[in-house]
Amino acid sequence: MLVSGTGFCQNKDAYESMRNRMVDDQIAGRGISDQATLQAMRKVPRHLFVPVSYLSEAYSDRPLPIGYNQTISQPCVVAYMTELSKPAKGKIALEIGTGSGYQAAVLAEIVDTVYSIEIVPELAKEAAARLKKLGYQNIITKYGDGYEGWPGHSPFDIIIVTAAADHIPQPLKDQLADGGRLVMPVGNPAAVQELILLTKKKGRITEQRLEPVRFVPLKRLKQ
Ligand code: SAH
């Protein structure tokens, strides 16, 4: 009798081949070449970061709703922002806009510690529980307004903002380490923005304008 699907023939991660295809087609295929980024994208189980109703779309080439009018970014946008931030062992990162926790998880596969702030309390709670369940001990999350950064843990080698505003918050520029890189969508939060890369060297900040992107707006708790 032939019994299939057991023992070493069992498919341990039914989503693994979808994930590898996502990386090959949507990410490596579009020019992302940083090995650490590609490896992290092959590892993080994106299907566990989307609502069950979108499970079959988890590896598709688009952003997906995660509730509360927010979205998990398109895989290639996550990969592009990760590569731009030059992640490496030994670095400390700050993310503004935890959302599902996916971008934080991708970074956490590479850097030492990721601090991540989320302004929607329910999303902050859900992401913290998800990341804990998945065993990400090097991600520290909190609920709050990321506009102010996280001064107690600064400076950061990497700052990734995953929500759009018409300017880069000054507190985030201040909390960027020397030699650090900040990536953020800047422009009209209700339309299309430009991905901006800031680098700080000897206290001097240089700005590079990159690709057009579309992100949800950066909100404020109080102004
Ligand atoms: N990085 C997320 C995608 C986030 S979408 C992921 O990988 O799933 C942008 C997120 O930024 C939303 O969850 C939104 O609630 C959050 N956000 C918006 N303004 C914020 C602010 N001022 N501080 C922290 N989070 C904010």
Side-chain angles (χ1 to χ4, degrees), residues 8 32 37 43 54 95 98 121 124 129 137-138 144 153 155 181 214:
F8 80 71
I32 301 290
T37 301
K43 187 157 175 217
Y54 285 99
E95 181 199 21
T98 317
Q137 290 178 351
N138 62 337
H153 294 290
R181 298 164 77 83
R214 195 186 286 262

Side-chain angles (χ1 to χ4, degrees), residues 66 70-73 95-103 117-120 123 144-147 162-163 216-220:
I66 54 170
Q70 307 303 326
T71 55
I72 177 174
S73 306
E95 181 199 21
I96 309 303
T98 317
S100 67
Y102 180 67
Q103 171 75 74
I117 308 174
E118 170 56 52
I119 206 168
V120 174
L123 285 175
D145 184 349
Y147 189 97
T162 62
V216 295
L218 186 77
K219 297 193 270 194
R220 302 299 316 275

Side-chain angles (χ1 to χ4, degrees), residues 28-210:
R30 290 187 182 137
I32 301 290
S33 60
D34 176 54
Q35 285 308 313
T37 301
L38 293 172
Q39 238 174 51
M41 299 289 298
R42 287 191 198 281
K43 187 157 175 217
V44 179
R46 183 170 163 95
H47 62 283
L48 300 180
F49 290 81
V50 305
V52 273
S53 50
Y54 285 99
L55 209 51
S56 63
E57 299 244 38
Y59 295 98
S60 65
D61 191 15
R62 64 179 188 102
L64 295 171
I66 54 170
Y68 312 95
N69 284 325
Q70 307 303 326
T71 55
I72 177 174
S73 306
Q74 193 179 350
C76 66
V77 172
V78 175
Y80 185 46
M81 290 175 84
T82 305
E83 179 177 68
L84 280 173
S85 76
K86 290 221 165 113
K89 227 172 160 202
K91 292 193 177 181
I92 304 293
L94 172 69
E95 181 199 21
I96 309 303
T98 317
S100 67
Y102 180 67
Q103 171 75 74
V106 170
L107 278 172
E109 292 288 344
I110 311 168
V111 305
D112 280 14
T113 310
V114 179
Y115 294 91
S116 185
I117 308 174
E118 170 56 52
I119 206 168
V120 174
E122 293 87 347
L123 285 175
K125 219 173 135 191
E126 282 171 27
R130 174 179 296 121
L131 292 166
K132 187 171 176 219
K133 197 170 161 197
L134 290 172
Y136 284 102
Q137 290 178 351
N138 62 337
I139 304 177
I140 298 153
T141 58
K142 76 165 179 179
Y143 155 75
D145 184 349
Y147 189 97
E148 305 297 342
W150 200 330
H153 294 290
S154 69
F156 301 100
D157 305 300
I158 292 170
I159 300 181
I160 290 187
V161 186
T162 62
D166 61 8
H167 66 282
I168 298 175
Q170 187 60 42
L172 299 184
K173 292 184 185 176
D174 296 341
Q175 290 170 35
L176 192 61
D178 209 58
R181 298 164 77 83
L182 181 154
V183 183
M184 175 175 177
V186 181
N188 181 349
V192 175
Q193 307 95 34
E194 248 179 330
L195 206 56
I196 302 287
L197 169 66
L198 289 192
T199 46
K200 199 188 248 186
K201 274 198 195 111
K202 296 193 176 124
R204 266 197 47 204
I205 286 184
T206 314
E207 179 180 310
Q208 264 174 274
R209 292 161 173 267
L210 303 159

